[in-house]
Amino acid sequence: MTVTALIMAAGKGERAGHGVPKQFRPVGGKPVLRWAAESLIRHPAVHSTRIVIGENQQEQAAAALDGLDVGEFIAGGAERADSVRAGLAAIGGDAVLVHDAARPFCPAAVVDRLVAALEFFEGAAPVLAVGDTLAHIGDGLEEPVDRSGLARVQTPQAFRLEPLRQAYAQWQSGSPTDETTVLRAAGMKVAAVEGDPALDKLTLPADFRRAEQWLAGRLSPRTGMGFDVHAFAGEGPIMLGGVEVPHARGLAGHSDADVVLHAITDALLGAAGLGDIGEHFPPADPQWKGANSSLFLQHAVDLLRSKGAMIDHLDCTVIAEEPKVGPHRAAIRERIAEIAGLGVDQVSIKATTTEGLGFTGRGEGIAAQAVASIRMGFL
């Protein structure tokens, strides 16, 4: 069975706040839409993943999904039903998983259950039993509602592709809230499989706080260390932490010899068990000659986030007699925070000397030592 994942990301999501549609708002350092896409892309039963976006969302979607194989974006419509119809018309295969971008964390086991159910049903949806007391609301709480037999219906929802297309062709009752409604209205059966609390939809600001807490609980703390040294050579200025610092002498190195960014990059790679800077950017490779070291740090950050890691804090100590770091400390922190997508309060820059001892004490070069604190796990 060839399965296509179709992610609905065309909404405005204004109730979530933050000034952007909720599917582009970050959770754990990554846009909600990217979490949703990655969770389906990596499932072995999903052969392709496509995204339905709203008007004027091309640039935001491209940035959120950079590097992921999602094909061309599909233009959605004014209502959810219009967007689903557009998506169904643009895909092929035997089956489709229709998913909300606002449900970023999709456990693989749920997809397994959905796909298995399609052997016997035209559609399947994950559900959770209602555990709370339900009641009507008027001036206050009124009569309770019998919750026996009730369930919360989640996404992704799985369907055989042609039956869902046929059901939508027959649908005449306005905009449905989900696709199981359309399928059942056409007289077809929908299986209910076990859902997961991780699939709860993000709608309000409190939902995003809950998602951050849930994600943090799934990750384990890790620490990485990095160290780098460059000798003085030639004329200045020098680069420290992505900032040009005036100095009479420059630093020798294959790239721009930024000891701060090199040390931090190594610390991040080490924390995630992803090797060292030399493996990713070999000094013998001519393409890195004179390269801006912000590229190295950005690569490490992107690599960690692609693995679902969260960066908590970066701390770097510059070891040198000269130049003085103090006058440039604020600018360096801001630049590192900008590259890594962190708050300035998550970046620390310190400086020390070796009291005239060793190669730094003799003014022969600069060293930097960095520590990266991250959280990483498997979702």
Side-chain angles (χ1 to χ4, degrees), residues 175-190:
S175 185
T177 57
D178 74 345
E179 284 54 64
T180 64
T181 305
V182 178
L183 207 69
R184 286 184 291 106
M188 303 180 205
K189 289 189 175 181
V190 178

Side-chain angles (χ1 to χ4, degrees), residues 84-169:
V84 174
R85 284 190 177 101
L88 295 178
I91 65 173
D94 305 309
V96 60
L97 288 168
V98 182
H99 191 37
D100 298 327
R103 301 179 193 267
F105 311 122
C106 182
V110 174
V111 177
D112 292 338
R113 293 191 284 269
L114 289 167
V115 174
L118 292 184
E119 184 177 352
F120 307 101
F121 295 84
E122 286 87 3
V127 302
L128 289 178
V130 177
D132 297 320
T133 297
L134 300 177
H136 292 287
I137 298 177
D139 294 333
L141 281 179
E142 297 183 354
E143 62 275 7
V145 176
D146 183 6
R147 69 188 184 201
S148 61
L150 296 181
R152 293 193 289 127
V153 183
Q154 303 175 309
T155 75
Q157 298 174 355
F159 305 93
R160 297 182 194 173
L161 184 55
E162 284 308 316
L164 183 58
R165 283 175 173 161
Q166 293 168 15
Y168 258 106

Side-chain angles (χ1 to χ4, degrees), residues 176-215:
T177 57
D178 74 345
E179 284 54 64
T180 64
T181 305
V182 178
L183 207 69
R184 286 184 291 106
M188 303 180 205
K189 289 189 175 181
V190 178
V193 305
E194 183 183 355
D196 195 292
L199 282 168
D200 284 350
K201 193 173 185 179
L202 305 185
T203 302
L204 302 174
D207 297 329
F208 281 82
R209 293 192 292 271
R210 171 180 50 78
E212 292 279 5
Q213 292 167 356
W214 180 88
L215 185 59

Side-chain angles (χ1 to χ4, degrees), residues 58-102:
Q58 178 86 20
E59 186 174 334
Q60 287 175 299
L65 299 166
D66 183 44
L68 298 184
D69 183 11
V70 294
E72 293 184 6
F73 296 131
I74 301 168
E79 301 289 343
R80 178 191 171 88
D82 301 323
S83 295
V84 174
R85 284 190 177 101
L88 295 178
I91 65 173
D94 305 309
V96 60
L97 288 168
V98 182
H99 191 37
D100 298 327

